[in-house]
C-alpha cells in the first residue's frame, strides 16, 4: 500500500493561516502510474528538479518518491506537475472506465474534494459520503456533480453505485 505524503504543499501566507493541504483528506490516489509519470517527465525533457521548479513542488525528492512508487501524490500537487508536463491526467492516472468511482473521476479532473464540493454547490462532508457510497445521490446532486465533472448524469450515478456495492474492505 502506498502512503500519501505531504510533499510540495502550498506555502503559508502567515503563521495564522492554514495551508490548503491542512484542510483536506489525504488518501492514496488510485491508479497513479509511477512509471508512466517518469516516462512523461523524460519525454518532456525535464529533470526532476526542472519539474519540481516549474510545478511549484518543494523538492525533486518528492518527484523521485512518486516515480519509485514510494509515495502517492496528492491530487492538488500532482495537478501542477501534470500542467507543467502538458499531458492529460489519464496518461498518469490509469483506471478502467467501467470501474471508476466518483473519487476516480474527481482525480482525473485534478480536483480536491473541497474544490469539487464548491463547484457542485455541496458540502465537502456530503461529497465525502457520496464518494464512499454513503449518503443519498439525488437526481439534483447527480446533475450538479455531472456538470462539475463534465460527465453524463448516468455515469455519476454508476460511479456512486460502484462505491456503494464495492466488496467489504475495498477502497471507495
Amino acid at each position: 500500500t502506498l502512503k500519501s505524503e505531504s510533499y510540495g504543499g502550498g506555502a503559508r501566507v502567515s503563521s495564522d493561516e492554514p495551508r490548503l493541504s491542512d484542510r483536506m483528506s489525504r488518501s492514496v490516489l488510485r491508479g497513479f502510474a509511477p512509471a508512466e509519470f517518469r516516462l512523461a517527465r523524460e519525454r518532456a525533457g525535464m529533470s526532476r528538479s526542472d519539474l519540481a521548479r516549474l510545478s511549484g513542488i518543494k523538492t525533486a525528492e518528492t518527484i523521485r518518491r512518486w516515480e519509485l512508487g514510494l509515495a502517492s501524490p496528492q491530487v492538488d500537487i500532482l495537478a501542477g506537475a501534470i500542467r507543467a508536463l502538458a499531458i492529460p491526467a489519464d496518461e498518469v492516472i490509469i483506471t478502467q472506465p467501467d470501474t471508476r468511482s466518483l473519487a476516480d473521476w474527481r482525480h482525473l479532473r485534478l480536483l480536491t474534494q473541497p474544490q469539487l464540493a464548491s463547484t457542485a454547490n455541496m458540502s465537502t462532508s456530503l461529497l465525502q459520503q457520496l464518494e464512499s457510497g454513503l449518503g443519498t445521490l439525488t437526481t439534483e446532486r447527480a446533475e450538479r456533480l455531472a456538470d462539475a465533472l463534465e460527465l453524463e448524469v448516468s455515469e455519476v450515478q454508476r460511479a456512486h453505485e460502484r462505491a456503494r456495492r464495492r466488496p467489504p474492505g475495498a477502497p471507495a
Side-chain angles (χ1 to χ4, degrees):
T1 304
L2 296 176
K3 181 181 175 192
S4 180
E5 298 186 17
S6 283
Y7 288 108
R12 289 184 189 266
V13 174
S14 74
S15 59
D16 296 330
E17 185 174 334
R19 295 181 309 171
L20 178 63
S21 61
D22 294 337
R23 299 190 307 258
M24 61 185 79
S25 67
R26 293 298 181 195
S27 59
V28 170
L29 196 150
R30 189 173 87 93
F32 177 69
E36 296 303 320
F37 182 80
R38 179 184 51 78
L39 288 172
R41 177 184 58 78
E42 290 171 350
R43 277 193 305 269
M46 289 189 206
S47 68
R48 290 175 180 148
S49 294
D50 290 335
L51 182 55
R53 179 178 48 81
L54 293 170
S55 60
I57 295 172
K58 287 183 182 177
T59 70
E61 175 65 10
T62 299
I63 294 167
R64 184 188 76 80
R65 292 179 58 80
W66 292 354
E67 291 179 353
L68 295 175
L70 299 173
S72 178
Q74 298 159 6
V75 69
D76 52 335
I77 299 169
L78 179 61
I82 286 174
R83 283 191 283 278
L85 292 170
I87 60 170
D90 64 1
E91 202 171 298
V92 296
I93 303 172
I94 301 170
T95 54
Q96 293 299 316
D98 62 342
T99 68
R100 289 181 182 152
S101 66
L102 286 173
D104 292 334
W105 282 112
R106 176 174 55 79
H107 293 151
L108 286 167
R109 300 303 187 254
L110 302 174
L111 297 169
T112 63
Q113 279 184 338
Q115 289 167 336
L116 177 55
S118 176
T119 303
N121 195 29
M122 64 179 59
S123 70
T124 302
S125 61
L126 174 58
L127 176 60
Q128 187 174 31
Q129 288 177 348
L130 294 173
E131 285 187 355
S132 298
L134 304 171
T136 303
L137 182 66
T138 64
T139 301
E140 179 190 353
R141 290 172 180 165
E143 289 170 349
R144 291 191 315 228
L145 286 168
D147 286 345
L149 292 169
E150 301 177 354
L151 296 172
E152 296 294 324
V153 171
S154 60
E155 180 53 34
V156 170
Q157 292 166 329
R158 284 191 301 271
H160 178 259
E161 191 62 21
R162 286 181 200 112
R164 263 186 16 83
R165 294 186 182 268
R166 72 188 186 282

